Amino acid sequence: MQLDVVTLFPDWFEWFRGQRHIANALRGGHELRTLNPRDHTTLSGGQVDDTPFGGGAGMVLRVDVMDAALRAFYNADPVDLRRERRVIALTPGGRVLDDAFVDELAAEPAVTLLCGRYEGFDERIVQHFCSDTLSIGRYVLAGGELAAMVVADAVLRKLPGSLGHADSAVEESFSAALGGNPEYPHYTRPAEYRGWGVPEVLLSGHHEEIRNWRRARSDERGASSGGTPLP
């Protein structure tokens, strides 16, 4: 997969690239690239934004700057680019990220994430250059960079070779294997601590009973609307 992030702060992603599962994915042939629109603006002083028409606080990322940046990076008209790859605007009002959306993106050969900043994008960027909008939650961040890392982390860890165990990303919270429910509780040594024991079934060695117990706990968590029940 080729995963590109359009950001005014590409240096933020150097730390991210060094995380073990991300580094594993990159060593496996996947790419995580960054593009800074400021490097391609035609405006003086590296300007990338302007005041909103109609008034109001904040600044808005300009459509002409994003056009020039995407053209320079991909050597293509951004209007046509979205037919070749998923181009996604990270915005609080977008489609909320969930495991199904992550699976969609992980199946793509190429994805571009556009990071908003200030008051966000000129709407023409979203309308004409993007194939999707995406939100990591119904709240507002100062910019899209942390959201881009969340998306990249969720997507890249799904790819073969990124995790230490091939099954780690199969049976986990919200996966199809668990019917979209949260993952079941886990325990490790010591088996007894301050009078708190581990459920006996997990110590039994009966794999079918363990699978049934885990699925039942996962189902309970999915049905609960008031928090995670204790096992």
Side-chain angles (χ1 to χ4, degrees), residues 200-216:
E200 287 296 327
V201 65
L202 299 179
L203 307 175
S204 68
H206 296 298
H207 298 301
E208 185 64 26
E209 291 182 12
I210 291 171
R211 279 193 294 270
N212 291 339
W213 181 90
R214 285 175 168 170
R215 187 57 187 264

Side-chain angles (χ1 to χ4, degrees), residues 72-142:
F73 199 54
Y74 294 108
N75 194 31
D77 186 333
V79 172
D80 300 324
L81 180 65
R82 62 183 179 176
R83 302 187 185 101
E84 302 172 8
R85 61 193 296 137
R86 295 281 282 269
V87 180
I88 301 173
L90 299 169
T91 176
R95 175 182 167 188
V96 176
L97 186 69
D98 59 14
D99 196 62
F101 201 173
V102 173
D103 283 340
E104 280 184 36
L105 299 181
E108 294 283 345
V111 173
T112 298
L113 303 175
L114 306 185
C115 295
R117 181 58 52 167
Y118 317 119
E119 282 299 302
F121 304 102
D122 183 304
E123 187 64 19
R124 290 167 291 184
I125 295 172
V126 179
Q127 289 177 337
H128 301 291
F129 299 162
C130 296
S131 53
D132 304 84
T133 59
L134 187 156
S135 170
I136 63 167
R138 293 303 188 231
Y139 49 86
V140 178
L141 300 171

Side-chain angles (χ1 to χ4, degrees), residues 99 103 167 169-181 184 215 218-219:
D99 196 62
D103 283 340
D167 292 335
V170 176
E171 191 173 274
E172 60 182 358
S173 290
F174 315 118
S175 64
L178 294 179
N181 291 320
Y184 43 80
R215 187 57 187 264
S218 176
D219 291 345

